Amino acid sequence: MMTNVMKTAALEPTPEMLRACRQGDKDAFKEIIFRYRTYAYNLIYKIIGSNVDHEDLVQEVFFQMHLSLSGFKGESTFSTWFHRLVIHVCSGHLRYIKAGKRIPQSELVAYDTVTDINRRHGGANAYEARELIEKAVAQLDERLRVPLVLNVYSEMGPGEIADVIGISEGTVKSRLFTARQKIKEFIGDVG
């Protein structure tokens, strides 16, 4: 797993800060944006890939957060709610792409999920290894890609992913297994 991942739990806003945001306190809202902006950008990049203007999607996430923050009742952690929001925005974007209104799905790239790719491919340089992994992940459909991103990039366990996505933990485990198998098959076919 990636060691330099910033955990969102450390960024969890206080109930007072969330209350202030719901009451229209712009400084409190700016503080939440400050805490989550980089994380949101990186998570979007990992889900969507590199061939898109991530800033537009980050702005959309915070716009949607502003619109729906009053609906956050604290039944889950803020970070779980925030992950759902990011996934919702990314899913909408991917549906838009799939409908042929933006860049083709085949041009999307994703993220590193296999750290020992060099060893298995005869010492391929880091750029070639990353490119191969990104192509493999780009072949995954959204239902497999999202749990994998949350597991690898956000270091979430199957239970947390199940809460964020709204599916059973068993289904998450199955999707993670399937996603990794498909990546291995793709890399094996290419290598």
Side-chain angles (χ1 to χ4, degrees), residues 31 33-34 61 79 82 111 113 154 163-164 172 176-177 188-189:
E31 178 63 25
I33 291 173
F34 175 76
V61 165
S79 61
F82 185 78
Y111 54 91
T113 60
S154 296
D163 287 343
V164 169
V172 170
L176 288 172
F177 177 81
D189 290 344

Side-chain angles (χ1 to χ4, degrees), residues 21 24 28 35 44 46 51 59 65 67-68 71 80 89 95 103 111 113 118 125 131 135 137-138 162-164 168 178:
C21 284
R35 289 181 181 200
I44 289 167
K46 301 300 182 186
N51 294 336
Q59 287 178 13
M65 185 176 92
L67 293 177
S68 58
T80 296
V89 168
R95 281 191 302 275
I103 22 176
Y111 54 91
T113 60
N118 274 350
N125 72 38
E131 191 173 274
K135 286 179 182 177
V137 173
D163 287 343
V164 169
S168 74
T178 302

Side-chain angles (χ1 to χ4, degrees), residues 11-90:
L11 305 174
E12 196 75 25
T14 64
E16 295 78 24
M17 184 182 292
L18 292 172
R19 192 175 312 107
C21 284
R22 286 196 282 283
Q23 294 171 349
D25 184 332
K26 291 180 183 176
D27 290 331
F29 191 72
K30 286 179 184 177
E31 178 63 25
I32 290 177
I33 291 173
F34 175 76
R35 289 181 181 200
Y36 279 85
R37 181 175 181 66
T38 300
Y39 185 78
Y41 183 94
N42 290 332
L43 190 58
I44 289 167
Y45 177 85
K46 301 300 182 186
I47 292 172
I48 298 292
S50 63
N51 294 336
V52 69
D53 185 359
H54 300 92
E55 285 299 324
D56 286 348
L57 293 175
V58 169
Q59 287 178 13
E60 179 66 18
V61 165
F62 287 108
F63 177 71
Q64 292 298 323
M65 185 176 92
H66 177 72
L67 293 177
S68 58
L69 193 57
S70 62
F72 176 68
K73 303 297 182 207
E75 294 167 358
S76 65
T77 64
F78 179 82
S79 61
T80 296
W81 181 81
F82 185 78
H83 278 95
R84 288 180 187 144
L85 189 61
V86 171
I87 290 168
H88 174 74
V89 168
C90 289

Side-chain angles (χ1 to χ4, degrees), residues 102-167:
R102 280 258 172 115
I103 22 176
Q105 187 91 19
S106 62
E107 291 181 17
L108 293 177
V109 293
Y111 54 91
D112 292 300
T113 60
V114 182
T115 57
D116 63 344
I117 189 86
N118 274 350
R119 179 179 49 80
R120 290 188 289 163
H121 280 80
N125 72 38
Y127 177 78
E128 290 170 342
R130 179 180 174 91
E131 191 173 274
L132 181 60
I133 292 166
E134 288 175 347
K135 286 179 182 177
V137 173
Q139 302 301 312
L140 297 175
D141 65 34
E142 179 185 354
R143 71 181 185 80
L144 297 177
R145 187 180 319 134
V146 169
L148 192 61
V149 167
L150 293 175
N151 181 247
V152 173
Y153 176 72
S154 296
E155 296 182 351
M156 289 184 170
E160 293 172 289
I161 296 168
D163 287 343
V164 169
I165 298 177
I167 59 177

